[in-house]
Amino acid sequence: MDYVQDHTHEVMDKYNIPFSRIRIGIEERTLLQEVLDSGWLTTAGMTRRFEEEFAQMIGARFASAVNSCTAALHLGAEALGIRQGSKVFVPTMTFTASAEIIRYLGADPILLDVDYGTNLITPAILEEAILHHPDVQYMVLVHYGGQMAEMPALNSICGSHNIKILEDAAHAFPARLNGQTVGSFGNITCFSFYANKTITTGEGGMLVTDDEELHARIKTMRLHGINRDIWGRFTTKGSGWEYDVVEAGFKYNMPDLAAAIGLGQLGKAERWRKTRQDIAARYFQRLQGIPHLDLPVLNVDPQDHAWHLFPMVIKDSSRLNRNDFIDSMSKVGIGTSVHYKPLHRMTYYKDRYGLRNEDYPNSEKTWKGNVSLPLHSFLELEDVDLVCDAVIRLLG
Ligand SMILES: Cc1ncc(COP(=O)(O)O)c(C=O)c1O
């Protein structure tokens, strides 16, 4: 059954063109059947296959499948050494998961403003932030919307200031920078397979790393701090019952049921990216030049963009504000979304850290008018044209 999957699923019947929609084919169904027939539903061979094929696609030595990107970020932060009292740069223009995992570990996020147009942390922003916070040792770096941040330059700045980067690539599979795949630039990169992402397992995530020690720590902490994995314990002939607990770990493993869907999706990820690139190109072609609208800024080769989101900004000068625009689009059956209300405006971060809107001028300018258009593999170019017609009618 095909169904609409986005945050507005309660009203899904009303959208002729949903904001997001998953595509499940014969590959996922066949692999799921294999798991159902295997007699073992949780983490085992299918998860291992998914990990191996994912690592191969990235070009990383190790991949660890987990039950969300939030779990991946938590495990990655723990493995990198973020602890009570650590300070961590995090962009304000992101989902709360990028920052909340810092708090899980008793550390504090230092929220940074981002570049207007890309919503990324740039080398200039990072250098300025280091001047004000010379004691920061970590950064969560979000590859916003599917466009990669400038990894080589950021790596070099972080290298000379002893800052470790945890990459949040929840939006960025499969993304590249100068032809090099996301996940092959740094220490640990985390991916999301949440229901609206470029490939999905319903809920799920993945960490990739080339570092054997980090991988070992992640594997142990992913499953209760136990020193051997559950599949081996229950299914390997002659394997004893005994195991040791070496840490107070978490329960973050991905079940084979989810891995089967992920593995089925993986083979189609490149094709779907191309579809999304064509959709983004059409949006640019049709919406360029509307006076009261800023389109996303492209800093990478168009072939390298994963295009999870097409986020644009309705300027203050427009006759229609963002919320009225969203209502009007919804009335004609077109789903949209907002990425994001920045974290410095969220009560928890604002109150806890005494944050002021005026310290985040770029994100404030974005936030007042940001809205993301539909972008998924079910969209035909005729649908994209219908969306563009509506945008032009309302804002042109
Ligand atoms: C930038 C970013 N990071 C992390 C997450 C968390 O992903 P998950 O829902 O898989 O935990 C999301 C989810 O939307 C996200 O957008």
Side-chain angles (χ1 to χ4, degrees):
M1 182 183 70
D2 292 320
Y3 62 97
V4 176
Q5 186 80 47
D6 67 8
H7 292 295
T8 52
H9 58 274
E10 301 83 5
V11 289
M12 62 185 164
D13 287 339
K14 144 173 117 166
Y15 291 142
N16 303 325
I17 303 180
F19 172 69
S20 147
R21 186 171 173 190
I22 62 158
R23 188 186 274 277
I24 297 290
I26 188 73
E27 299 85 351
E28 291 87 336
R29 286 166 216 270
T30 308
L31 290 161
L32 264 175
Q33 193 64 50
E34 207 180 296
V35 174
L36 291 171
D37 292 343
S38 75
W40 187 262
L41 299 187
T42 189
T43 313
M46 192 62 78
T47 303
R48 235 174 250 171
R49 273 169 68 187
F50 185 33
E51 289 174 339
E52 280 165 16
E53 290 198 22
F54 195 88
Q56 201 173 14
M57 243 180 109
I58 296 289
R61 280 183 74 197
F62 307 106
S64 308
V66 288
N67 55 18
S68 71
C69 182
T70 308
L73 289 164
H74 187 195
L75 288 171
E78 200 279 338
L80 283 184
I82 296 177
R83 295 290 181 272
Q84 181 90 34
S86 302
K87 293 198 171 108
V88 186
F89 289 136
V90 183
T92 188
M93 198 52 96
T94 187
F95 185 59
T96 185
S98 314
E100 78 193 25
I101 53 103
I102 307 302
R103 295 294 305 131
Y104 294 176
L105 295 160
D108 292 305
I110 310 276
L111 296 181
L112 299 185
D113 201 10
V114 291
D115 176 49
Y116 183 76
T118 63
N119 294 312
L120 293 169
I121 290 180
T122 61
I125 289 172
L126 178 61
E127 274 175 337
E128 173 83 19
I130 292 170
L131 284 180
H132 291 103
H133 304 278
D135 52 341
V136 169
Q137 292 169 298
Y138 302 92
M139 170 163 69
V140 174
L141 182 67
V142 178
H143 298 301
Y144 177 97
Q147 172 161 243
M148 284 195 65
E150 294 174 54
M151 283 309 293
L154 293 171
N155 268 339
S156 141
I157 297 166
C158 286
S160 50
H161 290 90
N162 239 342
I163 295 173
K164 290 183 184 155
I165 302 180
L166 177 63
E167 286 174 73
D168 179 342
H171 299 176
F173 182 78
R176 291 182 298 236
L177 185 66
N178 301 322
Q180 188 181 332
T181 314
V182 66
S184 64
F185 287 84
N187 292 315
I188 299 177
T189 307
C190 301
F191 298 88
S192 174
F193 309 130
Y194 178 68
N196 65 2
K197 295 299 189 290
T198 54
I199 68 166
T200 184
T201 59
E203 300 280 358
M206 190 79 82
L207 302 97
V208 301
T209 183
D210 283 341
D211 186 309
E212 201 156 359
E213 262 180 53
L214 289 175
H215 176 61
R217 178 73 183 179
I218 288 162
K219 266 190 82 176
T220 301
M221 295 304 282
R222 173 176 65 171
L223 202 68
H224 303 294
I226 289 173
N227 68 347
R228 48 193 291 211
D229 72 37
I230 203 159
W231 168 243
R233 194 150 64 83
F234 286 118
T235 59
T236 307
K237 272 204 184 117
S239 120
W241 64 269
E242 198 170 353
Y243 63 90
D244 194 13
V245 173
V246 294
E247 263 292 359
F250 312 106
K251 179 70 164 67
Y252 282 164
N253 55 306
M254 173 182 278
D256 268 19
L257 283 170
I261 302 175
L263 192 58
Q265 299 253 300
L266 200 56
K268 298 178 270 194
E270 280 294 334
R271 179 154 46 89
W272 290 343
R273 170 170 67 177
K274 175 75 178 75
T275 306
R276 293 193 306 275
Q277 284 173 349
D278 292 345
I279 294 166
R282 187 67 144 234
Y283 278 142
F284 275 120
Q285 187 198 343
R286 293 280 322 273
L287 302 179
Q288 209 97 57
I290 296 181
H292 306 291
L293 191 64
D294 281 339
L295 299 182
V297 170
L298 194 65
N299 270 354
V300 300
D301 183 323
Q303 307 299 315
D304 285 350
H305 204 307
W307 284 116
H308 168 50
L309 302 174
F310 192 90
M312 49 184 211
V313 180
I314 300 170
K315 294 194 217 172
D316 269 354
S317 54
S318 168
R319 63 188 139 90
L320 202 64
N321 68 33
R322 184 258 319 278
N323 291 352
D324 291 342
F325 172 80
I326 288 175
D327 281 350
S328 303
M329 291 292 272
S330 163
K331 283 191 184 115
V332 296
I334 299 170
T336 54
S337 193
V338 174
H339 301 90
Y340 291 93
K341 176 177 170 181
L343 295 184
H344 68 264
R345 278 185 167 263
M346 297 294 188
T347 302
Y348 175 76
Y349 299 102
K350 191 170 200 62
D351 288 357
R352 183 177 178 91
Y353 297 105
L355 302 175
R356 302 177 318 166
N357 295 345
E358 56 268 35
D359 291 330
Y360 300 88
N362 293 344
S363 307
E364 281 293 300
K365 187 175 161 194
T366 303
W367 149 247
K368 287 188 188 127
N370 59 350
V371 57
S372 304
L373 296 180
L375 185 50
H376 52 81
S377 70
F378 273 98
L379 284 182
E380 303 286 341
L381 288 181
E382 298 88 81
D383 301 322
V384 180
D385 281 338
L386 286 177
V387 176
C388 292
D389 291 345
V391 172
I392 292 164
R393 219 168 32 243
L394 292 168
L395 300 176

